[in-house]
Amino acid sequence: MAHIDIVDLVAGYGGSTILNGVSFSAGRGEVVALIGPSGSGKSTVLRVAIGLTPASGGTISIDGTPVDYARPAAVAALRRRMGIVFQQYNLFQNMTVIDNLVLAPVRTLGVPPAQAAARAHDLLARVGLADKAGSYPDQLSGGQQQRVAIARALAMQPDILLLDEVTAALDPERVGEVLETIRALADTGITMLIVSHEMGFVREIASQVVMMDAGRVVETGPPAAMFDAPTQPRTAAFMKAILRH
Amino acid sequence: MRPLLLLLWLLLAGPVLARDLASIRAAGVLRVGVNPNFPPMSSYGPGGRLQGFDVAVAGELARRLGLGLELVPTEAASRVPFLVSGRIDLSLGALTITPERRALIDFSVPLHSEAMGVITTDRLPVARWQQLNRADITLVNMRGNQSVAVLAEKLPRPQRLLVDGNADTIRAIAQGRADALVENVDFFIGFTRNYPDVRWRVLPDPIFTAWCGIGLPKGQEPLRAAVDAALIAMHRDGTVNRLWQAAYGAAMTVKVQPDQYRRVGASGPAGYRLDWRPVLAQLPYLAGGAAISLLIAVVAFAAGSVLGLAAALARLGGPGWAARTAGAYVAIITNTPALVQIFLLYYALPQAGIRLPGLVAVMLGLSLNAGGYLADILRAGIQSVRASELEAAAVLGLSRADTLRHVMLPHIIRTVYRPLANFFIVLVLGSSMAALFGVEELTGRAINISTANLRTIETFAVTGLLYIGLTLLASGLLALAGRRLLRVRA
Amino acid sequence: MSAFFSTDTAAFLAGALGRTLWMTIIGCTLGLLLGAGLALLRRTQLRALAPLRLLALLHVEGFRRVPFLVILMFVLFFVQAVAPDLSLLGIATLAVTLTASAYLAEIVGAGLDAVPRPQVESAQVLGLSWWDRLVRVVLPQAWGVILPPAAAFMVMFVKDTALASQLGVVELAFSAKILVNKGVSPLLGYGAVLLLYAGISWPLGRAARLLEKRLGAHRHR
């Protein structure tokens, strides 16, 4: 059974359609990468999955059970096992790094503060920022903030992690440190949906690649097949355009 | 939200009822409304204690009823609503017995007379009150007093100036804003002592005599019987006339006669029910007031803009003395209430021989006030022009006029348009202060109506809605003008 | 003239000053709480709260478009019909609260809106409750945006309370009127009170601007 199974997802604002029947699935521990041109709906898939953007049709099932996004309790339960990291890090600007990591486990999972703090320090060490616990977000570089954001998501101990273009806002020399963190994460067995433009990274880390365009899935396959022998002309054109740079 | 719930409750359940004699006795304290600005009836004496004829009568009544006394200060316009709601048990303050008031409250037997005569000065060469019926004469009147209606009937031709306080009537004559006061001479003559330089005169023949009683809430028959019994006893043993003599230093002009001790039956049902018809019938009158409100706001805005621009330029680029003067002007204006600024213009300037009519004083005061605030807004607008753009304009060789027209003005307009539009709304609301200086704009007319029909809640609710409509209209037009003419969003 | 310069007058003016400050401080503080409630209510999404949102909208738009003088009169006659035991000072304070809440709701709302939307979304996806999002994430970041204009508004309202003189509340403006009616010269009476107002408003205004500078420098903390 797929860990996360997305079937026929439809979403849109007002009159415009953003997702027009998107389907794919990810097995437990699998890393699925969503690629495609800007505006193809990749990020919207993640936002719908975590309940930030409402879908108008289709289902998302976790371990075979469809999530009822209309029920606040169901969404709350979902968010205890699914985390997301945004392109713009979105750390709480009014809190220190450690407080960013401790807040949610204590308030939503009921973890004792001391235990949450200990775990937070472990996570910071894992992303290489053990010495930044007392800093405020605006004292860190973009890459450091993004690693804190990943640690914050992990503090909730999710078994599904959504990564939404997490390197797109970073200075080029900072991309590597964040990718290194994600690479380490992939080996822990957590299921990940990654939206990324870092094709080399996608090729290396993803077990499956989903090519999207105009709110639809164009093609799905393992990275080697997708990058070297795409069956769809749209995929081939996208690969050609993006790999030229 | 809560007011809405309360309103709903009021509509459905009716108001809180006045206290009956039993609950007054249980509380042990009689609550009597007196006008605190009405010497020698009642006023604050040394140590801030109320004193005067009404205060003495209230004390004597409470003593004879075996109750303690609580004096509640009430204004002329609020005493009847206070009675209706039960905030006070009795109302003093020269409450003339009239059929309109009888519809809302009950009265005791007469307490004293109200002989209406004329107070004027030697400036006005008339010998009898009938000679006052001329259009070139201004009579001053106090809002909410019975004399307003009497005058409209007996002396329809003179202009009238409405003021809010007893002392204001005599002051208006002393300062030359009005020529004469047609009122109860007993009540008002005391204020002439504040102006010893004026040669005051009282015309000999009273116009007519009315009677004032103690006001009570409707439907409180045991209370009314008890008050009447005490009051009749006070008349019989001469207490009332003695207290009058003590307060006024003279006997009552027309005394209450024994045949007036007969009690009048209670009239009509008790309680306050909302009735919107009297107010809605006056909508055209109120709309006329709204036009005057708008006029005041427009004048103050226009004059204030000129002042404000001058002050802003002086502060930004003027010589030192001009910058300091403008700075002091803005600081004084923006740190003190507009109301007190206008008080000064209206009441203190006559000391220097400059006497402004109410409307002019309000327009001048609001203009000066607006100038201070607009100076700050305009200064921020001028400062919004970036030095780098001015340098670019200079490098491109633009003339000074072109730089102003194409580089500076667009910036300034975009920065100031919205604050200016908001400030205009502030001025529309601020124009309501004119009512306190006898100007009959929207709020002034609302006060006029409510003191006549006593439908205060309804009148002020409708007036509030008119202001909302007026400001929405103004905001809408300003936003439209901004988009169409100046291409800015407001 | 000599009647003015006495300890009686000083005590009288001090009492009036106290009532002016009471109306401003108590009225605006309650107005801030009510205004914050209104601002939060207007930003809820629940369909069940839609009628309350409409009421909040009418309150905020309505009270900002009616002169304070008219609000004072309305509150006076309305309140005394339903709660006749409330003092005139209490009625004036209630009118200040109602008026201030409408303006402060807009100020608080602007502060809430100034917190970037992703900050709220981050808190949402971490499963924080509405209250935790508000208290731990939104308010700490909105505070610096709300406080300076809210403080400036309160300082401004010191002057507007002068209109409560029309209810018969013996605050500063009314105290001047009483003194003048007793024979003090209008220039002296009103002038002295004008100076008293400036004496409160000017330093408080400076303090509010200083606060704005301070908070502006540490906006993101």
Side-chain angles (χ1 to χ4, degrees):
Chain A
M1 187 196 302
H3 191 189
I4 176 164
D5 192 16
I6 296 175
V7 180
D8 235 2
L9 207 57
V10 181
Y13 296 109
S16 66
T17 308
I18 297 168
L19 299 182
N20 196 2
V22 170
S23 303
F24 67 90
S25 58
R28 187 169 287 277
E30 206 184 346
V31 177
V32 174
L34 277 68
I35 63 170
S38 297
S40 58
K42 310 177 301 274
S43 294
T44 305
V45 171
L46 301 193
R47 290 178 61 85
V48 171
I50 197 109
L52 282 177
T53 298
S56 51
T59 57
I60 296 177
S61 305
I62 309 291
D63 289 332
T65 312
V67 180
D68 180 0
Y69 285 95
R71 261 181 54 230
V75 175
L78 170 78
R79 285 171 178 168
R80 278 196 284 273
R81 51 185 304 193
M82 183 188 279
I84 187 168
V85 181
F86 300 98
Q87 178 179 340
Q88 294 290 349
Y89 350 124
N90 301 347
L91 295 177
F92 301 130
Q93 299 293 308
N94 55 313
M95 297 176 203
T96 58
V97 163
I98 191 78
D99 287 344
N100 261 280
L101 266 64
V102 165
L103 177 68
V106 171
R107 301 297 300 179
T108 62
L109 301 180
V111 177
Q115 192 183 326
R119 193 173 145 67
H121 281 291
D122 284 351
L123 283 167
L124 284 179
R126 255 171 73 186
V127 299
L129 294 171
D131 56 332
K132 299 293 186 189
S135 305
Y136 281 91
D138 63 352
Q139 295 169 319
L140 304 181
S141 71
Q144 289 171 328
Q145 288 195 56
Q146 194 58 290
R147 280 143 70 196
V148 174
I150 292 170
R152 181 175 71 176
L154 293 176
M156 295 290 285
Q157 296 184 274
D159 53 7
I160 302 171
L161 188 61
L162 315 178
L163 302 173
D164 187 5
E165 304 203 30
V166 292
T167 56
L170 300 180
D171 294 336
E173 69 267 30
R174 296 289 185 180
V175 171
E177 63 190 64
V178 173
L179 294 184
E180 190 51 49
T181 304
I182 299 170
R183 202 174 279 125
L185 209 55
D187 298 334
T188 64
I190 191 169
T191 305
M192 289 200 274
L193 302 188
I194 300 178
V195 171
S196 181
H197 287 292
E198 299 286 334
M199 289 307 156
F201 177 69
V202 165
R203 183 172 191 154
E204 171 201 337
I205 195 174
S207 48
Q208 199 193 163
V209 176
V210 176
M211 165 72 196
M212 286 185 64
D213 187 35
R216 292 171 190 278
V217 174
V218 177
E219 189 174 358
T220 306
M226 291 287 284
F227 283 89
D228 299 335
T231 61
Q232 297 294 320
R234 184 73 191 86
T235 313
F238 176 72
M239 293 297 178
K240 201 174 156 198
I242 210 161
L243 294 176
R244 189 179 295 154
H245 299 293
Chain B
M1 247 127 44
R2 219 172 130 71
L4 277 169
L5 291 178
L6 288 174
L7 182 63
L8 202 64
W9 177 80
L10 186 76
L11 285 168
L12 297 176
V16 172
L17 285 177
R19 303 196 301 172
D20 59 14
L21 185 58
S23 47
I24 294 171
R25 287 217 182 280
V29 176
L30 185 67
R31 290 188 298 210
V32 181
V34 294
N35 184 340
N37 290 305
F38 196 175
M41 285 302 217
S42 49
S43 65
Y44 289 107
R49 289 176 61 86
L50 283 164
Q51 58 179 30
F53 173 74
D54 279 346
V55 177
V57 167
E60 190 62 25
L61 265 180
R63 194 181 64 77
R64 292 185 187 217
L65 294 174
L67 292 164
L69 176 66
E70 181 192 342
L71 292 170
V72 180
T74 54
E75 297 289 318
S78 58
R79 52 198 175 176
V80 170
F82 277 17
L83 268 183
V84 171
S85 70
R87 173 180 284 275
I88 53 180
D89 304 314
L90 304 177
S91 174
L92 288 167
L95 200 55
T96 316
I97 303 173
T98 68
E100 292 84 6
R101 287 188 178 138
R102 264 187 197 288
L104 283 159
I105 59 173
D106 282 343
F107 284 96
S108 70
V109 299
L111 171 63
H112 59 80
S113 67
E114 191 176 23
M116 195 169 285
V118 178
I119 299 177
T120 182
T121 67
D122 61 351
R123 289 197 311 264
L124 194 66
V126 295
R128 296 164 53 78
W129 67 265
Q130 288 87 347
Q131 294 169 333
L132 291 174
N133 201 13
R134 298 189 340 224
D136 63 331
I137 286 180
T138 300
L139 297 181
V140 63
N141 237 223
M142 204 176 117
R143 218 175 243 140
N145 272 12
Q146 186 55 29
S147 50
V148 178
V150 171
L151 272 185
E153 186 193 322
K154 302 227 172 194
L155 292 171
R157 298 181 67 182
Q159 299 167 51
R160 64 176 185 170
L161 169 69
L162 289 181
V163 296
D164 275 304
N166 303 53
D168 299 336
T169 58
I170 295 296
R171 181 187 299 113
I173 298 174
Q175 295 183 342
R177 292 180 205 279
D179 301 305
L181 169 68
V182 178
E183 254 300 355
N184 185 315
V185 175
D186 293 334
F187 300 165
F188 285 81
I189 197 73
F191 294 109
T192 59
R193 274 180 234 131
N194 289 347
Y195 306 95
D197 302 339
V198 179
R199 286 211 232 126
W200 297 97
R201 297 195 303 143
V202 177
L203 299 191
D205 49 335
I207 299 175
F208 80 104
T209 301
W211 301 96
C212 297
I214 299 173
L216 300 100
K218 268 199 175 301
Q220 301 298 334
E221 275 313 298
L223 176 63
R224 200 163 73 97
V227 168
D228 273 347
L231 186 51
I232 289 168
M234 284 164 65
H235 277 304
R236 289 227 159 91
D237 65 15
T239 306
V240 170
N241 284 329
R242 184 169 51 75
L243 294 178
W244 186 276
Q245 177 81 34
Y248 283 84
M252 204 183 297
T253 314
V254 183
K255 292 201 172 65
V256 180
Q257 300 304 314
D259 65 346
Q260 292 179 286
Y261 300 165
R262 271 182 329 218
R263 297 191 49 223
V264 189
S267 52
Y272 192 97
R273 301 270 159 203
L274 290 180
D275 180 2
W276 299 89
R277 282 164 305 178
V279 185
L280 296 179
Q282 299 279 6
L283 267 182
Y285 175 67
L286 287 173
I292 299 174
S293 298
L294 209 52
L295 174 75
I296 295 171
V298 167
V299 167
F301 190 78
S305 297
V306 175
L307 272 173
L309 187 61
L313 291 176
R315 291 185 75 181
L316 285 171
W321 62 268
R324 276 191 299 276
T325 309
Y329 162 66
V330 172
I332 291 171
I333 290 294
T334 57
N335 281 300
T336 57
L339 179 64
V340 180
Q341 292 161 13
I342 304 173
F343 272 150
L344 265 174
L345 290 176
Y346 190 74
Y347 292 123
L349 272 187
Q351 285 183 294
I354 305 166
R355 181 165 48 80
L356 303 174
L359 182 63
V360 176
V362 168
M363 281 182 175
L364 182 62
L366 279 182
S367 298
L368 286 170
N369 189 260
Y373 288 96
L374 290 173
D376 271 353
I377 294 174
L378 293 173
R379 189 167 71 133
I382 295 169
Q383 284 175 327
S384 76
V385 180
R386 280 186 288 263
S388 60
E389 295 197 24
L390 291 182
E391 283 171 4
V395 171
L396 288 171
L398 287 183
S399 70
R400 282 179 71 101
D402 275 348
T403 305
L404 183 65
R405 161 117 173 59
H406 295 289
V407 182
M408 295 182 70
L409 272 184
H411 258 300
I412 295 173
I413 289 173
R414 203 171 313 132
T415 314
V416 302
Y417 192 78
R418 197 180 176 133
L420 285 188
N422 286 343
F423 191 73
F424 181 73
I425 301 302
V426 169
L427 280 178
V428 172
L429 302 185
S431 69
S432 62
M433 275 181 273
L436 310 179
F437 301 89
V439 179
E440 298 184 36
E441 41 63 76
L442 182 48
T443 303
R445 290 187 178 194
I447 297 174
N448 287 350
I449 291 178
S450 68
T451 49
N453 69 13
L454 303 171
R455 295 283 163 195
T456 46
I457 293 179
E458 296 93 323
T459 305
F460 284 101
V462 168
T463 304
L465 288 178
L466 283 175
Y467 270 109
I468 292 175
L470 192 63
T471 53
L472 281 176
L473 187 72
S475 300
L477 288 177
L478 284 168
L480 194 69
R483 268 203 303 278
R484 285 285 162 81
L485 304 177
L486 301 170
R487 299 177 189 290
V488 291
R489 293 189 150 269
Chain C
M1 203 45 114
S2 60
F4 181 79
F5 296 100
S6 66
T7 48
D8 264 7
T9 308
F12 181 63
L13 284 176
L17 177 65
R19 279 181 282 274
T20 289
L21 291 176
W22 167 276
M23 284 187 285
T24 309
I25 294 168
I26 303 293
C28 284
T29 305
L30 293 177
L32 181 62
L33 293 176
L34 178 58
L38 288 167
L40 289 171
L41 181 62
R42 289 188 65 185
R43 279 157 184 81
T44 53
Q45 307 278 333
L46 276 182
R47 187 164 296 179
L49 293 178
L52 288 181
R53 277 197 291 275
L54 180 67
L55 281 181
L57 175 76
L58 292 178
H59 179 105
V60 170
E61 290 300 318
F63 276 97
R64 290 190 306 145
R65 291 183 176 278
V66 177
F68 184 51
L69 184 59
V70 174
I71 294 173
L72 276 167
M73 300 280 186
F74 184 77
V75 172
L76 167 70
F77 292 123
F78 191 84
V79 165
Q80 57 91 24
V82 293
D85 285 329
L86 192 58
S87 70
L88 289 179
L89 183 65
I91 289 173
T93 309
L94 178 63
V96 172
T97 300
L98 289 172
T99 308
S101 70
Y103 289 92
L104 290 169
E106 290 293 276
I107 290 173
V108 171
L112 295 178
D113 292 344
V115 177
R117 177 100 192 111
Q119 290 284 314
V120 183
E121 289 186 345
S122 296
Q124 264 178 320
V125 299
L126 288 168
L128 292 176
S129 66
W130 181 86
W131 181 250
D132 276 348
R133 293 202 297 271
L134 177 66
V135 172
R136 311 245 168 191
V137 177
V138 175
L139 281 186
Q141 298 189 52
W143 196 232
V145 185
I146 293 171
L147 207 54
F153 175 83
M154 289 196 195
V155 174
M156 211 193 66
F157 220 101
V158 171
K159 291 167 279 163
D160 290 356
T161 59
L163 286 167
S165 57
Q166 291 311 305
L167 293 195
V169 177
V170 187
E171 44 64 74
L172 276 180
F174 197 34
S175 70
K177 205 170 177 182
I178 290 174
L179 288 176
V180 170
N181 283 348
K182 277 179 160 179
V184 172
S185 101
L187 184 64
L188 183 61
Y190 291 119
V193 161
L194 201 75
L195 285 179
L196 275 176
Y197 274 111
I200 316 168
S201 167
W202 195 73
L204 286 180
R206 298 273 296 193
R209 274 192 292 280
L210 203 67
L211 184 72
E212 173 156 28
K213 268 192 197 142
R214 281 274 178 91
L215 287 175
H218 307 274
R219 179 137 295 174
H220 31 266
R221 274 312 131 69

